[in-house]
Amino acid sequence: MAEAHQAVAFQFTVTPDGIDFHLSREALKNIYLSGITSWRKRLIRFKNGVLTGVYPASPSSWLIVVIAIMSTMYARIDPSMGMIDCIKKTLPVNGYLAVQTQTVLSAMLFATGLWVSLILVLRYILKMLLSYHGWMFEPHGRMSRTTKIWATLVKMFSGRRPLLYSFQASLPRLPVPGVDDTIKRYLESVRPLLDDEQYNRMESLANEFKKDPAPKLQKYLILKSWWATNYVSDWWEEYIYLRGRSPIMVNSNFYAMDLLYVTPTHRQAARAGNAVHAMLIYRRKLDREEHSPMRALGIVPMCSYQMERMFNTTRIPGIETDFIQHLKDSKHMVVYHKGRFYKVWLHHGGRHLQPCELEMQFQKILDDKTEPQPGELKLAALTAGERIPWARARVKFFSQGINKVSLDAIEKAAIFMTLDEEEQGYDKEKLRSIDSYAKSLLHGKCYNRWFDKSFNLIAYKNGKLGVNAEHSWADAPIVGHMWEFVLSTDHFQLGYTEEGHCKGDMNKMLSPPSKLQWDIPQECQDITESSYKMAKVIADDVDFHGCLFDDFGKGLIKKCRTSPDAFIQIALQLAHFRDKGEFCLTYEASMTRLFREGRTETVRSCTIESTAFVHAMENPDKTIEERLQLFHVAAEKHQNMYRLAMTGAGIDRHLFCLYVVSKYLGIDSPFLKQVLSEPWRLSTSQTPQQQLNMIDLNKYPQYISAGGGFGPVADDGYGVSYIIVGEDLITFHISSKFSSPETDSYRFGQNIRQAMLDIKALFNTKKDKKM
């Protein structure tokens, strides 16, 4: 009960002599400091709101405009062309003020109006500049005069020292592509996958759709694009993620790994302490908008809105649809260890707990020998199973009493962490170590991750870390941004003692972690067990292989004057054809964050050009020159498609939104139904690297991450996530299902490796012939 006594500022006892008060100075001090911290946050948010609201101008520019207007007035020059006099006549208090005071007040009002008008003009100009995407379609290493002028103007109008959300109001809206353009690109994308009869049927459906109802659906979509900030993102979040009733574990959540070769300490509690403290630093910078907005080419700002819901966020289950609960602040985290949940306060005396203090708290959890309460061990399996049983159980068993209090503690926590009992990580001596590591991060034991949290921090027994992230609130680059900050801060700023403990002096009087209390009836335990069994079947079916490709990397690919992404995507097409003997609809995720509230778009990587190259590679009669020519054509086609997707001219998000509109209007479209029912048997994504450039890989080449991955999208397909690390390493995270006789993740990994080497050999042969 010690922590309970410290949690209150005073106690009182009723005696025959009256009421006896006992004040706790320490508690009062903590309450006072917490209040100061809370008000400081409010002031910072208000200040940042003002700075963002007037960007790209600054509050001081208002004073400059006012002084300039007042100076012209004293010089007997009226820059307002009579507007100041009009304002003076209409002032409601002109009968109570001297003439000179009225003039000064009117001039200030005019100057303020002029200042606001200038801000709006600057924003409009910047938005027009950011709507230009010609720079993306220019040859690599070359820049036209038009683009050079454009880049100079963007820098000029971008202002100085922008905050994280400073550019949000200046970002252009995602444009709605023309129906004819989208259908033309769609038919081109499916041509290599269909025979003549199938293609003619699809072409006929497309032409019928173009005549009716496409024009009607397009009008509604254009209307939405004028009204909403982004015509795709809200529907994408709702219908693709939140309305899905199947388990989100494996099917939706994704993971990120620790550094590949370096483990700074093997003390589990210490590593967790540094990681959590680094996250708190990141969250504070996020609250204060101190992170610099991401910029393409270091010039073009990208949308930052997804970062708002990184912490203090949980997906809440519902019968028909889930919703995302996000709090502005949370002062505690929840830790899971050996079937028990603990609440750990993150603040003390108006400050964050230091890494060594967090280590002490986590070590207390590790040392706790108590057993889980009935129903507590596998409780998190509810988040791993189907959504409807979880939603019903939440309403029935967690709406009141101690269960509600404990569930609130989890759902309102800033961070959820698992102190895992396993040892994981990459080990050169163990052939499939990275495979085991990935599966542990993706699904764990199906009950030791709270899959509804925005992310789970996982700290392993041997000091390795990892993250499992829920997908609805944000995409992988957002989580990657935070994770990159955490890993670099952990290693290069916080550090460890020689014994492997966190640095600093700790307050040993901190309240210990408190165990969450549960009263789980047998009926709820049966539902939990049912969810666990379903999740276990899904998890056991995941066939994962991690492939570390170190024969060559980005450095050599660039010497071949080819985009690394295009090189890899074409290699994946070659590998897939060798693996299955056929081509398939291929999904590559690209981002649309050049637009306000943009998320992702699909690049259909299986093209007429890439399939022609693959056929040439498998045809022994084709020469090296012919294959190289076809490769360059395929690479250029892929690059062009990627650029179109990034600039709002993709295929799939437009067709998806047309389909949503058709459902709202009750219109049945055979074409849209066919398009959205096609399975993605090869789903791919590139994990971004070095978003923050906090680690110099030339100086510290061993400080590289293996990236992250996701589960298979189709029952008979592959999921492939890859990360281009430095100049000489590419890692592939390959997933499929054991239940499919057509797939084998290890086999596909070997095919990818061979495809990469075979394409490289084309360029080597070309060089040898020149010599």
Side-chain angles (χ1 to χ4, degrees):
M1 293 295 290
E3 65 272 19
H5 288 292
Q6 292 178 19
V8 294
F10 67 91
Q11 304 166 45
F12 66 90
T13 305
V14 179
T15 66
D17 298 325
I19 299 176
D20 185 19
F21 283 94
H22 299 280
L23 294 176
S24 169
R25 292 184 180 179
E26 183 65 22
L28 287 173
K29 178 184 175 182
N30 286 333
I31 290 172
Y32 168 75
L33 292 173
S34 295
I36 294 295
T37 302
S38 178
W39 277 105
R40 187 184 297 125
K41 281 186 178 179
R42 293 177 190 176
L43 289 173
I44 290 171
R45 284 174 181 161
F46 176 77
K47 182 195 77 172
N48 289 342
V50 172
L51 292 174
T52 301
V54 303
Y55 203 82
S58 64
S60 60
S61 63
W62 172 82
L63 186 60
I64 294 171
V65 174
V66 169
I67 292 172
I69 296 298
M70 296 298 294
S71 299
T72 58
M73 295 292 293
Y74 280 108
R76 300 187 181 278
I77 300 172
D78 185 6
S80 70
M81 302 175 66
M83 290 183 65
I84 292 177
D85 288 334
C86 291
I87 294 172
K88 185 162 58 173
K89 291 175 183 177
T90 56
L91 281 175
V93 292
N94 56 4
Y96 307 98
L97 300 175
V99 175
Q100 188 174 5
T101 305
Q102 292 178 38
T103 303
V104 171
L105 183 59
S106 301
M108 289 179 67
L109 290 172
F110 171 77
T112 301
L114 178 63
W115 179 66
V116 171
S117 300
L118 288 172
I119 291 171
L120 295 176
V121 169
L122 288 172
R123 280 187 181 172
Y124 182 78
I125 293 172
L126 184 56
K127 184 176 287 189
M128 291 300 101
L129 289 170
L130 296 177
S131 299
Y132 168 76
H133 298 120
W135 59 274
M136 196 175 290
F137 293 88
E138 294 187 346
H140 183 70
R142 303 177 193 171
M143 189 179 288
S144 66
R145 182 179 298 176
T146 301
T147 300
K148 288 179 180 177
I149 295 171
W150 164 83
T152 303
L153 290 172
V154 170
K155 290 178 182 178
M156 186 185 304
F157 284 96
S158 290
R160 296 183 300 167
R161 296 189 296 275
L163 297 173
L164 181 61
Y165 305 119
S166 291
F167 290 110
Q168 291 300 101
S170 301
L171 291 173
R173 297 187 181 209
L174 183 68
V176 181
V179 171
D180 289 351
D181 293 334
T182 298
I183 291 178
K184 179 183 175 183
R185 294 189 187 109
Y186 169 77
L187 290 174
E188 184 183 350
S189 73
V190 298
R191 186 66 189 95
L193 305 173
L194 305 176
D195 59 32
D196 291 343
E197 184 180 345
Q198 291 171 326
Y199 180 77
N200 290 335
R201 178 180 175 276
M202 181 55 73
E203 190 176 38
S204 176
L205 287 174
N207 289 332
E208 289 176 12
F209 174 72
K210 275 200 292 187
K211 293 176 185 176
D212 182 65
K216 183 179 182 179
L217 303 179
Q218 181 78 347
K219 287 177 183 176
Y220 279 95
L221 209 53
I222 291 172
L223 181 63
K224 188 195 176 188
S225 74
W226 291 344
W227 177 255
T229 308
N230 188 294
Y231 81 92
V232 175
S233 294
D234 58 337
W235 284 348
W236 187 255
E237 180 177 297
E238 180 180 357
Y239 293 107
I240 298 301
Y241 294 114
L242 297 180
R243 281 186 178 265
R245 301 295 80 198
S246 59
I248 61 175
M249 184 200 76
V250 174
N251 296 322
S252 178
N253 286 29
F254 57 93
Y255 65 86
M257 288 183 169
D258 197 355
L259 297 176
L260 195 59
Y261 303 121
V262 177
T263 307
T265 179
H266 293 286
R267 295 183 183 274
Q268 185 177 16
R271 190 80 198 283
N274 262 12
V276 170
H277 187 76
M279 285 180 174
L280 295 177
I281 295 172
Y282 184 93
R283 186 180 69 156
R284 182 171 60 198
K285 290 170 71 71
L286 195 62
D287 288 342
R288 297 178 178 180
E289 302 181 30
E290 293 174 355
H291 292 291
S292 298
M294 295 295 297
R295 301 199 204 192
L297 299 179
I299 300 172
V300 186
M302 293 191 284
C303 182
S304 303
Y305 99 102
Q306 293 181 57
M307 301 177 79
E308 294 177 8
R309 299 184 290 182
M310 187 171 297
F311 298 92
N312 329 320
T313 300
T314 304
R315 176 172 173 162
I316 306 297
I319 302 299
E320 294 184 357
T321 182
D322 297 351
F323 69 92
I324 297 175
Q325 172 185 280
H326 171 67
L327 306 178
K328 282 194 173 182
D329 195 16
S330 177
K331 295 184 178 180
H332 74 275
M333 67 179 293
V334 169
V335 179
Y336 178 92
H337 178 60
K338 288 188 175 181
R340 304 151 309 169
F341 295 86
Y342 299 83
K343 183 176 181 179
V344 179
W345 291 103
L346 298 171
H347 293 256
H348 179 78
R351 62 168 176 82
H352 290 149
L353 294 191
Q354 295 300 314
C356 57
E357 294 171 331
L358 289 165
E359 179 189 357
M360 178 183 70
Q361 299 289 64
F362 300 150
Q363 191 60 52
K364 288 177 181 177
I365 294 172
L366 292 172
D367 294 339
D368 187 2
K369 303 300 182 184
T370 59
E371 293 295 320
Q373 300 160 73
E376 185 180 19
L377 175 66
K378 297 181 180 179
L379 185 63
L382 288 169
T383 69
E386 289 187 333
R387 305 304 292 172
I388 292 176
W390 170 210
R392 288 174 175 160
R394 186 176 183 277
V395 171
K396 187 172 183 179
F397 304 110
F398 299 91
S399 295
Q400 58 186 2
I402 59 173
N403 287 349
K404 184 180 188 309
V405 172
S406 295
L407 183 62
D408 279 350
I410 293 173
E411 293 180 341
K412 294 179 180 180
I415 300 165
F416 186 93
M417 182 177 72
T418 296
L419 291 172
D420 209 292
E421 302 165 61
E422 298 179 349
E423 294 188 358
Q424 292 290 351
Y426 173 63
D427 186 346
K428 292 180 181 179
E429 305 301 321
K430 296 180 180 178
L431 181 63
R432 306 296 291 267
S433 62
I434 201 166
D435 305 0
S436 172
Y437 185 19
K439 280 178 66 69
S440 176
L441 290 173
L442 185 62
H443 53 69
K445 294 180 179 178
C446 304
Y447 60 78
N448 58 350
R449 317 274 185 262
W450 198 271
F451 293 101
D452 286 353
K453 289 299 290 184
S454 53
F455 68 88
N456 286 238
L457 173 63
I458 300 144
Y460 290 103
K461 193 174 181 180
N462 59 342
K464 278 294 182 183
L465 298 175
V467 165
N468 178 290
E470 200 276 316
H471 209 330
S472 64
W473 65 276
D475 301 308
I478 304 301
V479 177
H481 188 275
M482 178 272 293
W483 193 232
E484 194 174 313
F485 179 92
V486 169
L487 293 181
S488 57
T489 302
D490 170 31
H491 288 263
F492 295 104
Q493 294 183 28
L494 301 178
Y496 300 88
T497 65
E498 291 183 2
E499 294 79 21
H501 292 287
C502 295
K503 294 180 179 178
D505 299 321
M506 68 179 73
N507 180 355
K508 295 184 179 181
M509 299 302 294
L510 292 173
S511 301
S514 57
K515 281 188 67 176
L516 299 186
Q517 300 301 309
W518 307 95
D519 181 14
I520 312 294
Q522 188 59 47
E523 184 183 353
C524 183
Q525 293 182 41
D526 293 341
I527 296 170
T528 302
E529 187 64 26
S530 177
S531 292
Y532 166 70
K533 288 178 179 177
M534 169 175 281
K536 185 82 164 52
V537 170
I538 295 172
D540 289 345
D541 198 26
V542 175
D543 175 15
F544 187 89
H545 176 58
C547 177
L548 301 180
F549 183 84
D550 55 4
D551 293 80
F552 61 90
K554 178 176 65 175
L556 186 141
I557 295 174
K558 285 188 172 181
K559 289 179 182 177
C560 299
R561 296 185 178 181
T562 303
S563 155
D565 184 70
F567 188 103
I568 293 169
Q569 284 292 328
I570 295 170
L572 288 173
Q573 291 301 315
L574 178 58
H576 189 273
F577 187 80
R578 289 173 173 174
D579 189 83
K580 285 191 172 184
E582 62 181 8
F583 298 105
C584 70
L585 195 60
T586 305
Y587 182 111
E588 181 188 5
S590 74
M591 65 90 178
T592 55
R593 288 171 59 204
L594 296 176
F595 302 97
R596 191 168 182 182
E597 293 189 12
R599 289 196 63 163
T600 60
E601 177 57 277
T602 304
V603 179
R604 292 176 168 237
S605 302
C606 183
T607 62
I608 296 170
E609 292 78 5
S610 64
T611 56
F613 167 74
V614 170
H615 283 307
M617 287 294 289
E618 299 302 280
N619 184 351
D621 296 331
K622 292 292 184 180
T623 65
I624 298 297
E625 289 73 16
E626 289 174 316
R627 291 171 177 172
L628 274 174
Q629 175 63 26
L630 289 170
F631 174 83
H632 285 301
V633 171
E636 184 55 39
K637 175 67 176 181
H638 179 82
Q639 277 294 92
N640 188 59
M641 288 172 44
Y642 203 98
R643 292 161 181 156
L644 287 171
M646 286 184 66
T647 54
I651 300 168
D652 291 274
R653 299 301 178 269
H654 185 204
L655 292 176
F656 162 75
C657 289
L658 289 172
Y659 179 75
V660 174
V661 174
S662 75
K663 287 300 178 183
Y664 277 127
L665 299 178
I667 296 173
D668 185 57
S669 169
F671 171 72
L672 290 175
K673 191 179 293 184
Q674 175 66 29
V675 170
L676 271 76
S677 65
E678 295 167 345
W680 301 98
R681 289 193 171 88
L682 180 56
S683 181
T684 70
S685 177
Q686 181 184 167
T687 305
Q689 170 79 345
Q690 290 291 88
Q691 295 186 73
L692 292 168
N693 291 315
M694 292 179 69
I695 301 176
D696 185 350
L697 292 181
N698 293 322
K699 189 175 180 181
Y700 303 101
Q702 72 276 26
Y703 283 83
I704 56 175
S705 170
F710 51 89
V713 175
D715 291 339
D716 55 352
Y718 291 109
V720 181
S721 174
Y722 53 94
I723 177 171
I724 302 170
V725 187
E727 298 295 311
D728 302 304
L729 177 65
I730 303 170
T731 64
F732 293 91
H733 299 249
I734 306 161
S735 63
S736 62
K737 294 188 177 183
F738 285 116
S739 57
S740 172
E742 300 177 27
T743 59
D744 183 310
S745 294
Y746 180 79
R747 183 186 71 206
F748 191 44
Q750 297 305 107
N751 281 323
I752 292 172
R753 179 180 294 277
Q754 192 58 50
M756 296 280 287
L757 294 172
D758 289 349
I759 295 175
K760 177 201 169 191
L762 297 178
F763 292 93
N764 289 346
T765 306
K766 181 182 176 182
K767 289 178 182 178
D768 292 341
K769 286 186 176 181
K770 285 184 178 181
M771 293 176 65

